[in-house]
Amino acid sequence: MTEMVHVTPRRRLPVLTGILVLIALAILISLGTWQVERLHWKEGLLADIAARQVAAPVPLADIEAMAAAGGDIEYRKVTATGRYINNKERHFFATWRGQTGYYIYTPLELADGRILLVNRGFVPFDNKEPEMRMQGQLTDQQTVTGLAREKLPGKPSWVVPDNDVAKNIFYWKDLDVMASSVGLEKADVIPFFVDADSTPNPAGLPIGGVTQVDLPNDHLQYAFTWYGLAAVLIVVVAISWFRKGAKTPQQ
């Protein structure tokens, strides 16, 4: 009698497992592609900001019109003329070039009576109070050139401390409270800030030009991570497939 030899067919990945692998692979590739798109967007944004910072300054009225129309005014160069209301300055806790201190936000009263809050720059911790830097308390009409900064919609994060209005220490730039805490009417205050440029002030304080463009651009790294995980998944599945297929048929 002829002996029958039964050969076990090559084992294949179960259909459900294959579907799950394909779904996971699609997700990883999609995430990588999304990060590449974000990379191109971020590079364009950074280039745009760099161009704004070196452009010729425009009148304050132009920035106001842009803001009213819903345009992006952030980091646009602007010029404004008025008189500083020095006894209503607000202090924002900050670090500048490794030194702890404050940014001095001073209301600038314009010719029409409206108010523009100007970040005049940094003063060291010991120079917080105006009497410690009297030469920098400008009293005559001033023309300030700087960068427009949008009003924050709210507290940036729960980890940021609450502003200590009583001690005139702000940990986040709440324009409305900065203004109301010194008796300025909201209707009279222009709804954005201006960071003064590095034009020297008397006795060197405040130190202008403190605007920091802090836009992390890690999208390329994230893209490599997602694509790398997709590649690893492919390799793991391929190895598993060939190992199972290479098993010796059972007799």
Side-chain angles (χ1 to χ4, degrees):
M1 175 181 278
T2 304
E3 182 180 355
M4 301 295 294
V5 177
H6 298 281
V7 179
T8 304
R10 174 181 295 183
R11 297 179 59 190
R12 302 177 184 275
L13 286 174
V15 174
L16 179 59
T17 302
I19 292 174
L20 292 176
V21 168
L22 290 175
I23 292 174
L25 188 61
I27 291 173
L28 292 172
I29 293 175
S30 296
L31 288 171
T33 301
W34 176 64
Q35 287 297 336
V36 170
E37 293 171 353
R38 293 283 295 175
L39 172 65
H40 294 322
W41 168 79
K42 183 62 70 65
E43 288 176 341
L45 177 61
L46 291 172
D48 188 25
I49 290 173
R52 294 179 190 185
Q53 291 179 301
V54 298
V58 300
L60 180 64
D62 291 2
I63 301 297
E64 288 186 84
M66 186 179 296
D72 181 8
I73 66 169
E74 191 79 340
Y75 303 112
R76 294 189 183 276
K77 214 165 185 179
V78 60
T79 184
T81 299
R83 294 179 182 274
Y84 285 120
I85 309 176
N86 292 307
N87 64 343
K88 294 186 177 182
E89 67 181 33
R90 303 284 81 188
H91 304 152
F92 174 75
F93 186 79
T95 300
W96 173 246
R97 294 181 177 176
Q99 189 174 15
T100 301
Y102 300 90
Y103 291 162
I104 305 300
Y105 282 80
T106 306
L108 182 73
E109 185 176 13
L110 308 176
D112 60 7
R114 294 183 304 146
I115 302 296
L116 173 68
L117 273 175
V118 177
N119 174 10
R120 296 191 59 206
F122 176 81
V123 299
F125 188 84
D126 292 338
N127 297 95
K128 178 180 186 294
E129 301 307 326
E131 55 267 23
M132 302 303 296
R133 44 183 167 81
M134 289 302 297
Q135 286 182 278
Q137 300 295 90
L138 306 177
T139 56
D140 53 348
Q141 184 168 278
Q142 302 293 322
T143 296
V144 58
T145 298
L147 301 177
R149 302 301 310 277
E150 293 180 345
K151 172 183 175 181
L152 295 178
K155 190 176 179 180
S157 169
W158 65 269
V159 300
V160 176
D162 293 328
N163 292 326
D164 191 339
V165 179
K167 294 182 179 180
N168 191 7
I169 300 176
F170 287 79
Y171 297 99
W172 67 279
K173 294 176 284 186
D174 189 339
L175 187 149
D176 292 338
V177 174
M178 282 183 169
S180 64
S181 63
V182 288
L184 298 175
E185 294 292 334
K186 184 176 180 178
D188 296 331
V189 179
I190 293 172
F192 55 84
F193 301 99
V194 167
D195 286 354
D197 64 12
S198 57
T199 300
N201 288 306
L205 296 176
I207 302 170
V210 296
T211 306
Q212 301 179 49
V213 180
D214 185 16
L215 296 176
N217 189 11
D218 299 323
H219 299 295
L220 182 60
Q221 175 184 337
Y222 295 148
F224 276 127
T225 298
W226 293 122
Y227 285 142
L229 289 174
V232 169
L233 177 60
I234 292 172
V235 171
V236 169
V237 171
I239 291 174
S240 176
W241 177 278
F242 286 113
R243 280 183 176 176
K244 290 176 181 179
K247 286 185 178 180
T248 303
Q250 300 294 320
Q251 293 186 348

